[in-house]
Amino acid sequence: MADLRLLDARGCALLLLLSVLAAVPLYGDPFTTRFFTRIMIYAILALSLDLILGYGGMASLGHAAFLGIGAYTVGILARYGIQSAIIAWPLAMAASMLVALFIGVVSLRTSGTYFIMITLAFAQMLYYFFVSLKGFGGSDGMPLPVRNTLGGIMDLGRHATFYYVVLLTMLAALGLSHRIVHSRFGMVIGGIRENEQRMRSLGIATFRYKLTCFVIAAALAGLAGALIANQILYVSPALLHWTRSGEILIMVVLGGMRSLVGPMLGAMALLIAEEVLSSMTEHWMILLGPLMIVVVLSGRTGIYGLLTKGSRSHG
Amino acid sequence: MHQRMVSLAAKGLSVSLFLLVCGVASAAEKVKVGYIATMSGPGASLGTDILDGFKMGLKHCGDKLGGAPVELIVGDDQFKPEVGVQVATRMIEKDKVDIITGIVFSNVMMAIARPVTDAGIFLVSANAGPSPLAGEGCLPNLFTVSWQNDQTHEAMGKYLQDKGIKGVYLMAPNYQAGKDGLEGFKRYFKGEIRAEVYTEPNQPDYAAELAQLRSANPEAVFVFYPGGMGVNFIKQYAQAGLKDKIPLYTTAFTVNEAVLPAMGDAALGIVNTSFWSPDIDNPANSKFVADFLSTHKRLPSPFAAQGYDAAMLIDSALLATGGQTGDKDRLRAAFRKADFQSVRGSFKFNRNQFPIQDFYIREVIKDQDHQLIGRITGVAFKDHSDAYCEKCPMKW
Amino acid sequence: MDLVLLFVQGLNGLQFGVMLFLMAAGMTLVFGVMDLLNLAHGSLYMLGAYLAATLQVHTGSFPIALALAVPATVLIGMALEATLLCRLYDRDHLDHATMTFALILFFNELVRIIWGPQARFMGLPDQLSGHVEILPGVTYPVYRLLIIGVGLLVAGFLYWLIMRTRLGMLIRAGASNREMVNALGVNIKLLYTLLFGLGAALAGLAGMMAGPILSIEAGMGEPILILTLVVIVIGGIGSVRGAFLASLLVGVADTFGRVLLPPALASMVIYILMAAVLFWRPQGLFPSHG
């Protein structure tokens, strides 16, 4: 009985959010549409980090590297005339997955703070690698002339069209992630997060499960990268810098780890707060800091925890 | 009206709050100018310096541009190209600005130049002058009032070439502007390049590189280190005792009035090239320097001068169109005329809408108030254009 | 590279390493004993530099400025711990990271509001701003020799403190088993505040020593923070001995990497070093947790 009510409350909230999001391009001005497109892309990114962080218990400070790899794949392909999203986007995901496979094999021997640092190290190495790519803009990055075309028919250059494509992608990512965490695979990952030694003693090849989770999350992040390259029509090494990874981490923690929806809310909250505050004062960062501190101190489970606390206590 | 109500009802709390804060109703005859620069993080000092100069220009135009009242909207690009694009599109689509100015860093400029000018908005760069936009990528709605990135370095290259220096050791940070700077130097200096050393951007400590430099013992050193990097480098160069051993040459990007206080005596005597100096003798400059000094209690830097000239340029263009921004072609023609008194002296636009201007040799001295300041000792170039204008297809 | 240059670069690596050690020692102690991941450690470094620069302008004396700025930074650090950071002890590292990252944003902007966005100047007294001939034909800046001296002195002091005093014994015990120390009736709250104060003192000192050679500006703490994290991970969290060895290692590796390798590779050297160490010893060189 309690579960049904819980589902209702959460389901209703989700439905409301989705209807608002669906309405934005219809009633909002172009700027709001582009702003929310950016929010949704970061929501996908935060979602992908939650998979390994919230569910897998692997705190990575190098997740932005996959965002960058996905973005640069699209950018480099565009340079060579490949504009189709059907080719570019899966390639972006594949590239991220490949790199994640290598990084994961080397890094997943460590855990905790050491894992944080080694993922940071690899991300920084990739950052410097892209900085050294003179042919593709180096540290300044390079612009993309036009957005990708979807299947040769849909021109993503129109903001509303691109918005809905991103919205659908976000929903697909959310659906896929939901499926994963509620599958047997997800159970095992959760068990590994709780107590890896116990899982190993049960005969489970924990390393392989963690690596798979890591690679899947990288694939989603790579997709987000392909989308952001289309969104701003620009790729630069700044996308891979550790401060970017830090921002994604903050979105996940602020929004509420291990809830999938939480990190998406976190992305929305952080980006909107930045936008609102920076238009109020040029010293907006001095407000953002304490704001974040208050949120962390008050809600143990982030924004999502704050929102669902009420309905949960009725159970 | 009905659509407004429906849209307000449909949006969630967060969106309404956002709109509440950002939406501003505006009067019809005002000229809206958007200023985008790096206002936070390590690059912020340039952004605020240029803005101070721009605001001083506005003040000297009676807080009007072209006779029309001005609404200045300031945006922070946080040194991220994507945020720059975000801020620019907000200014164009939400705030409905007529002109965008500022732009400190070339990577942000590369990201926003096409989106802004394609939307029919005029972009007046008060700093960034990357070479693609001076060459094949030149844009009819982009006017750069500062310089093309390479020019200041070219001036030093020519100076050292004329001076008869045979070999120079080069150093710069390892990013596009650093590489462009050294390319510009080499374009005019034909002697031997003893070494070309690229250091990590924002690297704080140059002890290792300075030891290599001392060991190589070249005839002269030329460096490009903007902002905080320059402060670090110059201080350490002096502390290593190299200032008396190996003469250091640089540009005003490294030694300028904004950072001289932070460098202290380490900067004394350093020869640098610049398109502007506080001691340029013309009425516009004297007025600018005096008022800036008394208002901000510090000397203006070349960056502030760029901001000031940006305001003056926009004012001159709008005066010609009677404060109207609707007729783009008429406004563009007015911009191209550049009919204003620049604080640097002579100023006119080249075909690619980058400046043709003089470049000076200056030396850092202490004036009668014991303030560190640049003083002109010679002229490197008169009416110098940039190296990329030939590639620009624009004709007017 | 001739012998003289090799020697000078070695000194440079040592000096850089010693500076890193000042930062890393404080951070590894706080992280190891108090289990607090404090990303705002770089902000304490920055505050130390700003305070020293301001005091030097007001008092006109470099030694007095240093002598006053260190206790000032300690007070700020202890106040920070007692009011805000103490609430984090029962939270996980992610909450630490988020909150202290927020503090970084706050302090960077605070510093810009109080002191303005332009870089600040910190001068050296004449005796320190020259160079000296340490060996025939080898000159080296006096001030950098001073930094090496101060760093080694601090290392010696910390060794004495941790190995030969009661406080040090508590610190070592706390690093390997915090609950036990608490259960043995030690005033953990006081120990933590003092320890954080020590960390703040070291960070502030590093900032003050760096002030005359580096530009003092908002955000100056972040690059140092990253290097410090690399050092404590290589050295092993909680181990000051590890931090000493690792800082020298990183200092020398970075210095020689910069002069021997092309720029892209040079920037990667310390990260490659860290990845290699972690691959071989996943808990760092001297893990202190049993």
Side-chain angles (χ1 to χ4, degrees):
Chain A
M1 205 44 201
D3 279 348
L4 211 60
R5 237 182 292 165
L6 187 63
L7 196 61
D8 266 341
R10 284 214 310 240
C12 274
L14 205 61
L15 220 59
L16 180 64
L17 185 67
L18 287 179
S19 45
V20 165
L21 283 179
V24 166
L26 301 174
Y27 300 107
D29 54 60
F31 171 68
T32 314
T33 306
R34 303 216 323 196
F35 180 58
F36 272 85
T37 311
R38 186 164 170 251
I39 287 182
M40 288 194 296
I41 296 175
Y42 273 93
I44 299 176
L45 194 57
L47 179 70
S48 70
L49 184 61
D50 198 23
L51 277 178
I52 48 174
L53 175 61
Y55 290 95
M58 301 174 262
S60 161
L61 205 55
H63 206 57
F66 306 119
L67 175 77
I69 291 172
Y72 264 94
T73 309
V74 167
I76 293 174
L77 287 174
R79 264 296 192 87
Y80 289 110
I82 300 178
Q83 297 281 17
S84 168
I86 301 201
I87 302 179
W89 296 9
L91 273 179
M93 293 173 72
S96 301
M97 288 170 82
L98 211 64
V99 176
L101 193 64
F102 176 72
I103 294 181
V105 162
V106 177
S107 318
L108 284 167
R109 295 163 130 249
T110 66
S111 59
T113 313
Y114 298 98
F115 181 72
I116 294 180
M117 290 307 295
I118 202 170
T119 49
L120 168 68
F122 278 112
Q124 284 298 92
M125 284 192 249
L126 283 166
Y127 169 79
Y128 288 118
F129 168 71
F130 280 107
V131 164
S132 68
L133 284 185
K134 280 179 245 199
F136 298 111
S139 62
D140 285 339
M142 60 176 180
L144 276 71
V146 286
R147 290 202 177 138
N148 292 144
T149 54
L150 193 56
I153 28 167
M154 248 195 272
D155 173 24
L156 297 175
R158 291 192 56 233
H159 300 316
T161 316
F162 187 58
Y163 180 92
Y164 284 118
V165 168
V166 172
L167 177 61
L168 288 172
T169 311
M170 185 183 80
L171 290 174
L174 183 61
L176 179 71
S177 308
H178 189 260
R179 272 297 204 73
I180 291 177
V181 300
H182 285 106
S183 69
R184 185 184 169 270
F185 178 81
M187 304 273 156
V188 174
I189 288 284
I192 295 176
R193 180 191 76 247
E194 299 277 323
N195 193 328
E196 185 168 352
Q197 254 182 319
R198 189 193 302 153
M199 295 305 277
R200 237 182 281 144
S201 67
L202 287 174
I204 293 183
T206 58
F207 185 80
R208 246 177 264 168
Y209 275 88
K210 292 204 306 195
L211 185 62
T212 311
C213 189
F214 192 70
V215 169
I216 293 176
L220 280 179
L223 181 60
L227 292 175
I228 201 125
N230 274 279
Q231 159 75 346
I232 52 173
L233 290 175
Y234 202 84
V235 294
S236 83
L239 288 170
L240 294 101
H241 200 248
W242 72 272
T243 45
R244 183 80 47 139
S245 295
E247 282 170 23
I248 311 170
L249 199 64
I250 288 175
M251 286 175 190
V252 173
V253 173
L254 265 186
M257 290 194 318
R258 212 180 308 137
S259 58
L260 292 182
V261 176
M264 290 164 60
L265 290 176
M268 186 180 271
L270 192 67
L271 289 174
I272 289 180
E274 268 182 25
E275 183 63 36
V276 169
L277 287 177
S278 64
S279 59
M280 292 203 290
T281 161
E282 65 178 81
H283 292 296
W284 58 277
M285 283 226 230
I286 207 168
L287 297 173
L288 186 65
L291 208 68
M292 276 167 45
I293 292 177
V294 165
V295 174
V296 170
L297 277 182
S298 59
R300 288 208 64 135
T301 41
I303 298 177
Y304 186 73
L306 281 171
L307 287 177
T308 54
K309 211 163 44 172
S311 43
R312 210 171 286 155
S313 63
H314 285 176
Chain B
M1 191 59 196
H2 180 254
Q3 195 178 7
R4 251 289 168 78
M5 286 175 64
V6 175
S7 61
L8 272 177
K11 283 166 183 163
L13 184 67
S14 53
V15 182
S16 335
L17 177 67
F18 164 73
L19 284 177
L20 208 67
V21 176
C22 292
V24 172
S26 53
E29 323 88 347
K30 260 202 249 188
V31 169
K32 291 191 173 182
V33 177
Y35 178 88
I36 303 179
T38 308
M39 307 295 288
S40 56
S45 60
L46 284 132
T48 43
D49 220 20
I50 299 173
L51 182 61
D52 284 343
F54 187 81
K55 283 185 177 164
M56 177 122 300
L58 274 184
K59 177 178 156 201
H60 286 180
C61 294
D63 287 318
K64 291 189 165 60
L65 285 175
V70 177
E71 185 180 335
L72 180 65
I73 302 163
V74 177
D76 179 7
D77 61 33
Q78 298 176 42
F79 201 174
K80 294 178 187 159
E82 70 192 65
V83 178
V85 172
Q86 164 105 346
V87 172
T89 46
R90 187 220 303 148
M91 286 185 176
I92 295 173
E93 289 163 7
K94 192 154 224 45
D95 304 310
K96 306 266 189 284
V97 297
D98 306 296
I99 296 170
I100 290 183
T101 185
I103 323 301
V104 176
F105 290 102
S106 296
N107 57 355
V108 176
M109 177 53 100
M110 289 306 297
I112 73 166
R114 288 289 312 264
V116 169
T117 53
D118 282 352
I121 307 296
F122 283 90
L123 186 55
V124 177
S125 173
N127 199 68
S131 52
L133 297 178
E136 294 136 344
C138 60
L139 300 163
N141 284 3
L142 168 66
F143 289 89
T144 307
V145 80
S146 49
W147 22 253
Q148 196 277 314
N149 285 355
D150 302 9
Q151 284 180 312
T152 320
H153 310 278
E154 291 170 354
M156 185 47 86
K158 176 158 192 302
Y159 175 69
L160 291 184
Q161 175 70 12
D162 291 345
K163 214 168 184 289
I165 305 277
K166 296 289 179 290
V168 180
Y169 192 102
L170 304 178
M171 291 181 71
N174 188 30
Y175 68 146
Q176 202 54 47
K179 296 177 197 162
D180 287 347
L182 297 187
E183 279 306 309
F185 178 85
K186 289 189 288 185
R187 199 171 288 130
Y188 282 84
F189 179 75
K190 296 303 166 200
E192 185 200 350
I193 304 293
R194 293 291 309 277
E196 206 170 320
V197 176
Y198 290 100
T199 55
E200 195 190 317
N202 293 319
Q203 175 181 315
D205 196 344
Y206 297 95
E209 287 81 7
L210 290 174
Q212 298 292 111
L213 169 60
R214 168 181 264 129
S215 174
N217 201 20
E219 199 182 336
V221 178
F222 173 73
V223 306
F224 164 61
Y225 280 114
M229 291 184 256
V231 176
N232 292 346
F233 187 84
I234 298 295
K235 280 165 74 166
Q236 291 166 34
Y237 195 83
Q239 281 162 4
L242 284 168
K243 241 176 91 179
D244 310 311
K245 278 199 75 194
I246 305 171
L248 176 68
Y249 297 95
T250 182
T251 59
F253 295 125
T254 307
V255 272
N256 57 72
E257 284 71 11
V259 290
L260 283 177
M263 290 178 184
D265 286 356
L268 260 183
I270 294 187
V271 177
N272 60 93
T273 47
S274 178
F275 75 102
W276 175 89
S277 192
D279 55 329
I280 291 181
D281 195 8
N282 67 57
N285 198 34
S286 312
K287 181 176 175 196
F288 165 60
V289 175
D291 202 0
F292 196 93
L293 194 53
S294 67
T295 311
H296 295 285
K297 307 279 180 283
R298 70 176 198 272
L299 283 166
S301 65
F303 301 109
Q306 290 155 209
Y308 187 83
D309 269 355
M312 290 308 177
L313 170 70
I314 298 173
D315 177 57
S316 76
L318 286 173
L319 270 174
T321 63
Q324 295 301 318
T325 57
D327 187 344
K328 303 290 175 188
D329 292 328
R330 194 168 161 220
L331 188 54
R332 191 176 307 113
F335 268 116
R336 284 172 172 167
K337 276 226 194 71
D339 188 14
F340 72 104
Q341 290 301 320
S342 168
V343 292
R344 74 195 79 178
S346 77
F347 179 100
K348 57 181 192 284
F349 277 122
N350 201 340
R351 213 157 48 83
N352 55 9
Q353 292 169 191
F354 275 72
I356 297 178
Q357 56 189 331
D358 303 336
F359 282 86
Y360 303 98
I361 315 292
R362 11 181 258 160
E363 193 181 325
V364 179
I365 60 156
K366 267 201 178 139
D367 65 8
Q368 62 266 40
D369 304 309
H370 296 289
Q371 255 186 93
L372 287 165
I373 191 171
R375 192 112 296 176
I376 296 179
T377 60
V379 178
F381 280 126
K382 271 208 103 33
D383 297 322
H384 185 55
S385 7
D386 58 84
Y388 304 92
C389 55
E390 294 302 311
K391 296 205 202 116
C392 171
M394 275 200 296
K395 292 202 196 316
W396 44 275
Chain C
M1 195 186 288
D2 59 60
L3 223 57
V4 169
L5 189 56
L6 195 70
F7 181 67
V8 172
Q9 296 296 30
L11 274 182
N12 285 330
L14 178 64
Q15 183 253 298
F16 184 40
V18 140
M19 189 82 103
L20 283 178
F21 172 68
L22 289 178
M23 289 292 285
M27 195 165 193
T28 204
L29 278 177
V30 168
F31 201 172
V33 177
M34 299 158 61
D35 202 28
L36 176 66
L37 175 60
N38 177 24
L39 296 179
H41 201 63
S43 303
L44 290 167
Y45 164 87
M46 177 178 73
L47 286 171
Y50 267 97
L51 287 171
T54 312
L55 284 168
Q56 195 204 26
V57 166
H58 286 295
T59 65
S61 158
F62 181 70
I64 296 182
L66 282 191
L68 289 177
V70 173
T73 318
V74 170
L75 283 173
I76 294 176
M78 297 209 292
L80 198 63
E81 191 271 346
T83 54
L84 203 61
L85 297 175
C86 57
R87 297 167 204 271
L88 288 177
Y89 294 144
D90 52 355
R91 308 273 194 123
D92 59 35
H93 287 164
L94 270 179
D95 278 352
H96 298 179
T98 315
M99 198 133 119
T100 52
F101 188 81
L103 281 175
I104 293 180
L105 300 179
F106 175 75
F107 279 121
N108 277 341
E109 199 54 45
L110 184 74
V111 145
R112 202 172 290 122
I113 291 177
I114 297 179
W115 281 284
Q118 313 291 343
R120 304 224 35 111
F121 172 72
M122 188 163 164
L124 282 174
D126 286 330
Q127 320 89 291
L128 291 177
S129 52
H131 38 283
V132 78
E133 195 161 339
I134 37 177
L135 287 181
V138 183
T139 55
Y140 199 71
V142 173
Y143 188 64
R144 288 181 191 265
L145 284 176
L146 180 70
I147 292 178
I148 294 178
V150 168
L152 292 176
L153 215 70
V154 169
F157 167 73
L158 281 177
Y159 178 79
W160 170 81
L161 180 76
I162 291 178
M163 291 299 180
R164 305 256 186 260
T165 66
R166 183 151 193 274
L167 177 65
M169 189 181 69
L170 289 173
I171 291 174
R172 271 181 291 141
S176 30
N177 197 328
R178 187 176 325 107
E179 282 85 17
M180 189 61 81
V181 175
N182 209 354
L184 288 173
V186 174
N187 186 348
I188 277 289
K189 270 182 78 81
L190 186 64
L191 178 67
Y192 280 11
T193 309
L194 285 177
L195 195 56
F196 196 81
L198 177 65
L202 290 170
L205 183 65
M208 291 168 220
M209 301 299 302
I213 38 175
L214 306 181
S215 79
I216 303 175
E217 54 187 353
M220 67 188 278
E222 274 72 282
I224 292 285
L225 176 72
I226 276 289
L227 286 171
T228 310
L229 284 172
V230 169
V231 166
I232 66 175
V233 163
I234 292 179
I237 296 176
S239 163
V240 176
R241 184 178 9 154
F244 186 70
L245 200 64
S247 9
L248 292 183
L249 202 64
V250 168
V252 169
D254 186 67
T255 301
F256 279 95
R258 265 166 33 204
V259 299
L260 293 174
L261 297 172
L265 224 56
S267 319
M268 294 192 207
V269 164
I270 54 169
Y271 296 108
I272 296 176
L273 179 68
M274 180 173 81
V277 169
L278 285 182
F279 191 72
W280 171 55
R281 293 274 271 257
Q283 298 247 303
L285 292 174
F286 294 99
S288 68
H289 290 270

